[in-house]
Amino acid sequence: MKKVNSDAVETLFKQYHKELCRWAYTFVRDKEQAQDIVQEVFLKLWKNREELEWGEQLRSYLYKSTTHVSLNHLERIQKKRTIHQYIQQSNDFVSNDTTDRVLFNELHEKVQQAIDNLPPKCKVIYLLSRQEGLKYQQIAEQLDLSVKTVENQMGIALEKLRIALKPYLSKEFLISILLLVVSWITEKV
């Protein structure tokens, strides 16, 4: 078996792009999103081209990768929908008190400061996990790290955040902030 080179990747792209877009579309039901998914699959192929062998298993790799990326996309959408539904249901219980909003803004500022004070690698990994919703394996692949390194860095990040935010972690304060967050997110959505 020969290694996959840049010409081979271009040939595969021309040969399978439309077919894989149709395959991704069967999952996501959105033409642009399907194209983005296939683009991501070919980007991964390009990054891993030196480790892959040319052959029939490459076609299988493309289909499996497209399926995997499509399912991950659907999972992220479902999480967003669940959060949105929770926010909508919780909206009736939210306080609009000015004092609570000040507390929320203060906490939001403290959280942002705590995140900004994380060591650079911890910060990147934390943001990819918590804001982008990536799994440790995906972060490891994206940053070219081991999964164990990602786990360790997340542990460090969470511990540093817990220590930095400890004064703000009383039950009463967190409940009032949670209600404000729900209100704030609802306004933004």
Side-chain angles (χ1 to χ4, degrees):
M1 294 288 186
K2 67 180 184 177
K3 296 289 182 190
V4 177
N5 61 31
S6 59
D7 292 336
V9 173
E10 185 177 342
T11 300
L12 284 171
F13 183 84
K14 289 177 182 176
Q15 182 177 359
Y16 289 108
H17 182 264
K18 287 182 183 178
E19 193 175 320
L20 291 172
C21 284
R22 283 192 298 270
W23 179 244
Y25 182 82
T26 64
F27 293 97
V28 298
R29 298 291 183 206
D30 181 300
K31 186 177 179 180
E32 287 181 20
Q33 207 51 65
Q35 290 172 341
D36 288 346
I37 287 167
V38 173
Q39 194 71 22
E40 185 178 332
V41 168
F42 276 100
L43 180 62
K44 284 181 185 178
L45 177 69
W46 176 257
K47 287 180 180 178
N48 298 321
R49 70 187 179 280
E50 294 177 9
E51 290 87 39
L52 296 172
E53 298 286 334
W54 180 269
E56 185 58 32
Q57 67 273 18
L58 205 50
R59 181 179 187 276
S60 176
Y61 168 86
L62 290 171
Y63 272 91
K64 285 180 183 177
S65 293
T66 302
T67 301
H68 180 72
V69 174
S70 297
L71 293 175
N72 283 343
H73 171 74
L74 291 174
E75 185 177 315
R76 282 190 301 272
I77 288 173
Q78 184 58 40
K79 283 180 184 176
K80 287 179 184 177
R81 280 187 189 139
T82 301
I83 290 169
H84 184 69
Q85 287 170 350
Y86 174 77
I87 290 167
Q88 294 292 24
Q89 292 168 353
S90 301
N91 198 30
D92 295 337
F93 302 105
V94 175
S95 165
N96 287 323
D97 186 52
T98 304
T99 306
D100 289 342
R101 290 211 181 262
V102 169
L103 287 174
F104 170 74
N105 289 336
E106 181 183 341
L107 179 63
H108 186 266
E109 184 179 312
K110 295 294 182 189
V111 169
Q112 195 55 53
Q113 286 174 355
I115 292 170
D116 290 341
N117 289 333
L118 290 172
K121 190 186 289 187
C122 284
K123 182 178 177 181
V124 168
I125 290 171
Y126 177 83
L127 292 174
L128 287 172
S129 173
R130 296 304 196 248
Q131 288 185 349
E132 299 296 320
L134 298 180
K135 294 183 173 143
Y136 289 176
Q137 179 66 40
Q138 294 169 311
I139 296 169
E141 290 171 6
Q142 187 170 342
L143 299 178
D144 197 27
L145 300 170
S146 72
V147 174
K148 191 68 176 165
T149 299
V150 171
E151 290 172 356
N152 290 337
Q153 290 296 312
M154 272 300 289
I156 292 168
L158 294 173
E159 180 64 17
K160 287 185 178 290
L161 291 173
R162 187 186 63 76
I163 291 168
L165 300 171
K166 190 173 185 174
Y168 301 96
L169 297 179
S170 74
K171 281 185 188 177
E172 296 79 17
F173 187 79
L174 289 176
I175 289 170
S176 118
I177 293 303
L178 177 62
L179 292 173
L180 284 167
V181 168
V182 170
S183 172
W184 181 71
I185 292 173
T186 303
E187 290 172 6
K188 300 287 182 191
V189 176

